[in-house]
Amino acid sequence: MTLGPPSSAVCLSLSSGPVYRAPSVTIHPTALFSILDHYLRRTDTQQRVIGTLLGTRNEGDDAVSVRTAFAVLHSETSEQVAVDMDYHRAMFDLSQRVNPKESIVGWYSTGSNLNTYSALIQNFYSQETAPYPAIHIALNTGTELGEEAGVKAYVSSPVGVFPKPENAVFVPIPITLRTNNAERSGLHLLENAPSSPVGELAQLEGTLNDVLEMLDRVLAYAQEAAAGKPADAALGRYLMRALGGGAEESGKGGFTSSLQDTLMMSYLANLVRAQAELSARLALVTGS
Amino acid sequence: MATSMAAALAASLPAPQAASAPVAPVHEPIPASMSKLIDIEVEISLNLVQLEGLVVSKIIKHCSESHSSVHGLLLGLDLDGTLEVTNSFPLPHSTGDDDEKSSKTTSRYQNAMLRALKEVRADDSVVGFYQSTTMGAFFSQTLVDTQAIHHEKLRHGGIVVVHDVSQCNRGNASFRAFKLLKEFLEAYRKTPFSAKSMINHKLTFNSIMQEVPLKIRTNPLLGSFISTLSERRPTSLTQPLPSEVYHTSLSPLYSTLHLGNPTLTKNLENVVEAIDNYKTEEGNLAYHTRQIAREKARAEAYVAKRREESANRVAQGLAPLPEEDVSRLFKIPREPSRLDSMLLLGQVDAYAKTLEGTSGLSLVKMYAARAGTDANREVFQ
């Protein structure tokens, strides 16, 4: 910023000003689960736990994707805060060995109170992530009475005529949960926990039942709308488009030929397995 | 450094006598009534592997990021026949150029990681490892080797959790837990892995590993958090709507409904490739067997000839020829190891099994889709 000494007015305009675009943050489930696990394993004296967020940045549009997190030791008393920097560095080096693409993007803490210590820690992480802003993710575990579980993300900017590390404005930025296909399957497994991984056929059955249930709901909605109850026109059009199209995708010929292919494949697979089994048994016989 | 290294090594090896450690310095015989109380867990055989939600997501993340096969360590605790896996960490991909050096750095990495996890009060005892696979074929020499090493170091011999990446991408997160069977391990320790010991132990590729039932668990905190994520919230649509319209943070999972299966061709290629590999290995084995037979025949011919000569000399009243060490003259090659061919056959079977499964599944989907389109056509005509 070259406009002169930073004043609080300039800093506050950061959140909405056209010059600066707040990074959009996406978080993957592994990071969330690591934070929750860390919170579970805290000591009795710890009010909250903190740790480092690792992820990737998209150079073009400031999009940050938080992929994983690791715990960092810290202690907070009424007089001082201490973060184990050596530990943080050591863990980061270790994680670099496995996944060198992930860099430090910020830090997390549990609970939703931002205080002076938060500003101090944020100041430290800003040095780690420079030249990019450090992202702070506050995860509320929902274990305290009257608090709802949730995740919030912030970036900070200095405040005051003379910026000091313990003074900062935390500007909330939007955060979304992002899952790729594989992670989505894993979440599905966890949603129904405790459970055991099932075969693909059973999985298909479950999904088809979901679809059936949804069709029932849509049908009930459509019938209500047809009976004259107030309904959303946009939703109706959307349903029409979703259900009306796609009827002509595969013709009759396509069906028979792929049926033949699939049956052939199934036959082949069975044949191979039978031969393999036979071969294994024969290997036991030949010697004797 | 040396002492800390030793300490780290000691920490990394889960001591099977951990429970008896406080008793040990006293140097008194453990009373018979107490001996049952000390480390009784070893005696209880494993009947369930329980994966924590965090481990599930960590394994999926690690496996889906890499295209080649990856592996990592599982940490946790065994209790009353249930192996609770509560944490895991990935191992760096070995470059393979310098075996000894890379294994050294890996073990250093492993120790550092375990120490670091201990500091933040995470579980730090190794109970096994996980491995990614595609199309279900996970038998490999390295897997068996690692598992055999683990068998000596870990309680219960350690387990291996296999995660199928290709299935996971299709929408079904698949985790299976295995442990080595005793019979196989006995045969494996006897090098070479000969046909005879294979027959003695009645080994086929099915009897290498035993599957252990696996359960997924989420701790209450994680469970409540996930249920918050999948909570149904009212939509932002403004028009009056029936109450059933809602949306959730977790999108429903419909990738299982995709009709086409992009991995089918790859799977077929895998089957063919595995069969080719097996054929080559069979060729090698046959060559070795022929070689052995030829050498043996030559040795026998030589012995027979010598015996004949010797008999002639005796008949002529001369002293018989001195005894000779035939084995030194003829180098009979060692019997080749059958392990490779067995593992390859196991791979063929696994690939074919996956192919069978997916083709059966697509058959079901095709008929379902046809019924769907037919019904759709009737409605819209």
Side-chain angles (χ1 to χ4, degrees), chain A residues 111-224:
Chain A
S112 51
N113 56 328
L114 294 164
N115 52 23
T116 318
Y117 295 154
S118 301
L120 281 172
I121 300 170
Q122 174 78 11
N123 180 52
F124 162 72
Y125 275 98
S126 302
Q127 292 160 16
E128 293 283 307
T129 59
Y132 304 100
I135 286 153
H136 172 49
I137 285 179
L139 183 140
N140 200 331
T141 51
T143 44
E144 270 159 45
L145 203 64
E147 302 242 1
E148 203 194 337
V151 182
K152 288 193 179 72
Y154 302 93
V155 286
S156 78
S157 52
V159 70
V161 183
F162 305 107
K164 280 192 255 175
E166 63 264 39
N167 294 341
V169 173
F170 280 94
V171 183
I173 50 172
I175 179 164
T176 46
L177 180 72
R178 172 77 56 84
T179 55
N180 58 28
N181 246 352
E183 286 169 334
R184 187 68 201 85
S185 334
L187 270 180
H188 183 79
L189 200 62
L190 296 182
E191 266 178 278
N192 308 323
S195 60
S196 293
V198 289
E200 287 195 90
L201 210 54
Q203 177 97 18
L204 181 68
E205 192 191 345
T207 317
L208 284 179
N209 278 333
D210 280 356
V211 173
L212 273 182
E213 190 200 324
M214 253 181 250
L215 283 178
D216 282 345
R217 266 170 50 210
V218 166
L219 194 63
Y221 177 69
Q223 275 165 351
E224 270 183 33

Side-chain angles (χ1 to χ4, degrees), chain B residues 176-195:
Chain B
R176 297 167 80 192
F178 293 92
K179 61 178 181 188
L180 278 186
L181 276 174
K182 269 202 192 74
E183 291 82 20
F184 172 76
L185 209 66
E186 274 172 34
Y188 174 79
R189 294 227 173 94
K190 280 185 204 140
T191 46
F193 195 83
S194 66

Side-chain angles (χ1 to χ4, degrees), chain A residues 261-285:
Chain A
D261 285 352
T262 315
L263 284 175
M264 184 68 195
M265 214 80 92
S266 174
Y267 173 71
L268 182 75
N270 273 314
L271 196 68
V272 170
R273 286 198 72 193
Q275 292 286 344
E277 188 67 41
L278 202 62
S279 166
R281 299 280 154 143
L282 279 178
L284 294 187
V285 177

Side-chain angles (χ1 to χ4, degrees), chain B residues 41-61:
Chain B
E41 293 295 336
V42 174
E43 304 301 323
I44 305 173
S45 65
L46 275 186
N47 49 31
L48 185 69
V49 173
Q50 186 175 290
L51 281 192
E52 193 72 42
L54 173 67
V55 183
V56 170
S57 92
K58 271 190 167 177
I59 295 179
I60 289 179
K61 173 184 178 287

Side-chain angles (χ1 to χ4, degrees), chain A residues 82-103:
Chain A
V83 180
D84 193 338
M85 265 20 285
D86 294 339
Y87 185 85
H88 159 79
R89 290 246 62 106
M91 270 308 268
F92 178 62
D93 288 343
L94 286 178
S95 67
Q96 283 288 298
R97 300 266 303 273
V98 177
N99 202 334
K101 271 182 254 161
E102 287 174 354
S103 55

Side-chain angles (χ1 to χ4, degrees), chain A residues 27 31-33 35-36 39 108-112 136-142 149-152, chain B residues 225:
Chain A
I27 189 163
L32 284 182
F33 295 174
I35 300 172
L36 286 172
Y39 181 72
Y108 69 78
S109 79
T110 55
S112 51
H136 172 49
I137 285 179
L139 183 140
N140 200 331
T141 51
V151 182
K152 288 193 179 72
Chain B
F225 197 83

Side-chain angles (χ1 to χ4, degrees), chain A residues 252-265:
Chain A
K252 273 270 187 278
F255 179 80
T256 0
S257 78
S258 23
L259 183 68
Q260 277 169 354
D261 285 352
T262 315
L263 284 175
M264 184 68 195
M265 214 80 92

